[in-house]
Amino acid sequence: MTDAQQTADVTAGTSDPEPSGPAPVPLLAPREGVPPVTADAEAFAEVVAAFAAGSGPVAVDAERASGYRYGQRAYLVQLRREGAGTAMIDPVSCPDLTPLGDALAGTEWVLHAATQDLPCLRDIGMVPTRLFDTELAGRLAGFARVGLGVMVETVLGYSLEKGHSAVDWSSRPLPEPWLRYAALDVELLVDLRDALEEELRRQGKLGWALEEFAAIAAAPPPPPRKDPWRRTSGVHKVRRRRQLGVVRELWTTRDQVAQRRDLSPGKVLSDAAIVAAAQAMPADARALAALHGFGHRMGRKQLQQWQEAIDRVRELPEAELPQPGQQVTGPPPPRAWAEKDPVAAARLTAARSAVTAHAEELRLPQENLISPDVVRRLCWEPPAEADPEAVTSALRALGAREWQIEQTAPLLVKALATVD
């Protein structure tokens, strides 16, 4: 029995024997209190030694300063392991955690929503070879809500503190309530992992989960996005090429300023302001100042900086202006299929229906049963002979895991055959 389960039993035994309503969910507190933040080489070496000597899986979490700072770097790393307790490390003072990553080589890491934290952990030398993702495990097990707080409460019967998830973790010193919140994020992760493993085993899905976890651990870093400026919110309102050029130039200038000042780009200039300037194409800084997002609080030097970006686009030759749409490398948007290829549209409808029904039977989200993009690509360009072997090969080439292929290939073969 885990410490958490023992504490839960004691709490249950001391509750009111005749409650007037649902039993209150106990608020979790760190078992050993809030540990000091590791912020120097000597303390870091002690953490490395303690965690290397610990046993079992290691719970790992990271806090970023999204919305405050440029990029997605980690500003606090929390770990917990049997025999080592909880540690919280300041990656600003200890920027290279490679020795800790090496000490945990081969150990299973337990993370919640692993793909969110792995990039920033990789940047500081923390790369797992094995992991267990409690959020993904919850999805595969059929839980409707898979946030960490909800999962801990639903599965383990404890309530986590709320309210500090969106704070500026780059602040120094970090307030004690924030540190307590951060410590609690790893307090019961291993307990949650154990309970979810048992539930997945009971449902016959543990093998599926292990395949998913292995795929996450083995995945390379994603390539840089092509034309990231096209993700500017509201860019669909901008139609003309020169106006799109203004969006691109303002986005690029903003990104350079944000990186230099280590600020979230949205704090430098909002997406709405970029789109407003592109639509208006102001002739000078005074006209720019009248637009949404360029108000009286913006200094003359800043206004001139943005106006110069707009003026640069005015001078560009037509050939250097961006095209209205992104180059599509895969199938077109499904809404266009009926016009472009009615047969492919019918294949997609049949395939989606079959996959959705099977996902409901298995009690897991359709996108976890198989990626919607994989289904679209298969239906847009199906194998010449849509037999089980060809469909299996196509799914594997598109990145589907073996358990996904086993569950969906027969359905997709039937869907393709029904239409053809």
Side-chain angles (χ1 to χ4, degrees):
M1 180 181 292
T2 66
D3 292 344
Q5 289 168 330
Q6 290 174 343
T7 307
D9 288 346
V10 170
T11 304
T14 57
S15 61
D16 187 343
E18 294 182 7
S20 57
V25 178
L27 185 66
L28 186 65
R31 278 170 253 186
E32 299 98 15
V34 178
V37 176
T38 299
D40 60 61
E42 183 179 352
F44 178 62
E46 292 176 0
V47 168
V48 172
F51 276 79
S55 61
V58 57
V60 183
D61 188 35
E63 305 296 346
R64 300 177 298 280
S66 304
Y68 296 94
R69 297 293 178 180
Y70 185 86
Q72 293 296 313
R73 68 172 292 185
Y75 284 95
L76 188 70
V77 175
Q78 310 98 277
L79 306 98
R80 183 174 179 84
R81 192 180 191 191
E82 186 70 29
T86 297
M88 295 196 289
I89 304 170
D90 178 4
V92 178
S93 302
C94 303
D96 184 8
L97 304 193
T98 303
L100 180 58
D102 292 344
L104 297 172
T107 300
E108 181 188 81
W109 294 23
V110 184
L111 301 100
H112 193 80
T115 54
Q116 294 183 19
D117 286 341
L118 288 179
C120 70
L121 291 170
R122 183 184 293 114
D123 289 344
I124 53 178
M126 299 275 289
V127 183
T129 55
R130 297 168 51 216
L131 63 83
F132 190 106
D133 186 334
T134 49
E135 184 198 52
L136 181 52
R139 292 183 186 279
L140 294 175
F143 286 87
R145 299 168 63 202
V146 292
L148 179 59
V150 172
M151 293 289 289
V152 167
E153 186 168 329
T154 302
V155 177
L156 301 177
Y158 274 86
S159 176
L160 294 179
E161 286 192 28
K162 301 177 178 67
H164 301 304
S165 61
V167 299
D168 182 2
W169 289 96
S170 69
S171 302
R172 294 295 184 272
L174 289 168
E176 197 275 342
W178 296 14
L179 294 174
R180 184 172 64 250
Y181 165 91
L184 290 174
D185 274 355
V186 293
E187 183 79 14
L188 293 182
L189 260 186
V190 174
D191 298 81
L192 182 60
R193 171 234 179 274
D194 293 345
L196 289 171
E197 180 184 58
E198 184 58 35
E199 179 61 22
L200 288 167
R201 182 180 288 110
R202 187 187 69 79
Q203 295 185 23
K205 299 176 181 176
L206 182 58
W208 305 355
L210 296 179
E211 276 194 57
E212 292 297 306
F213 302 156
I216 294 172
R225 277 201 179 100
K226 183 182 179 183
D227 292 345
W229 61 269
R230 290 187 183 273
R231 296 175 63 86
T232 304
S233 179
V235 72
H236 63 280
K237 302 174 187 176
V238 181
R239 304 293 185 184
R240 297 176 182 173
R241 290 181 64 195
R242 200 163 296 277
Q243 291 175 323
L244 277 175
V246 170
V247 174
R248 180 180 65 185
E249 190 66 21
L250 287 176
W251 188 98
T252 302
T253 302
R254 179 184 71 173
D255 195 66
Q256 293 167 348
V257 172
Q259 189 168 7
R260 185 175 69 248
R261 296 174 59 192
D262 191 18
L263 287 174
S264 168
K267 285 190 172 295
V268 175
L269 188 68
S270 70
D271 281 7
I274 289 177
V275 170
Q279 291 176 313
M281 295 287 290
D284 52 38
R286 178 175 293 183
L288 179 65
L291 299 177
H292 172 76
F294 298 92
H296 63 279
R297 288 186 296 176
M298 186 171 287
R300 181 181 301 174
K301 187 176 179 181
Q302 288 176 295
L303 279 171
Q304 194 58 41
Q305 163 183 264
W306 306 124
Q307 186 61 44
E308 287 172 0
I310 296 169
D311 292 341
R312 285 195 295 272
V313 178
R314 279 203 177 86
E315 302 301 321
L316 284 179
E318 194 76 16
E320 294 182 21
L321 296 174
Q323 294 295 333
Q326 294 189 65
Q327 185 177 0
V328 178
T329 56
R335 63 180 179 273
W337 284 32
E339 181 180 342
K340 291 178 179 293
D341 189 337
V343 175
R347 282 196 294 262
L348 182 62
T349 299
R352 280 176 163 175
S353 177
V355 168
T356 299
H358 193 47
E360 290 175 355
E361 291 174 5
L362 296 173
R363 292 180 55 245
L364 52 80
Q366 180 267 317
E367 63 270 19
N368 291 117
L369 176 57
I370 190 162
S371 163
D373 183 62
V374 168
V375 176
R376 284 194 295 269
R377 289 175 184 270
L378 178 71
C379 291
W380 186 251
E381 294 183 354
E385 296 293 332
D387 55 36
E389 184 176 351
V391 170
T392 293
S393 179
L395 290 173
R396 192 173 288 128
L398 289 168
R401 260 74 73 189
E402 294 303 313
W403 77 269
Q404 295 176 320
I405 294 170
E406 179 184 331
Q407 290 295 319
T408 62
L411 306 174
L412 295 171
V413 168
K414 185 177 181 180
L416 298 178
T418 299
V419 175
D420 292 342

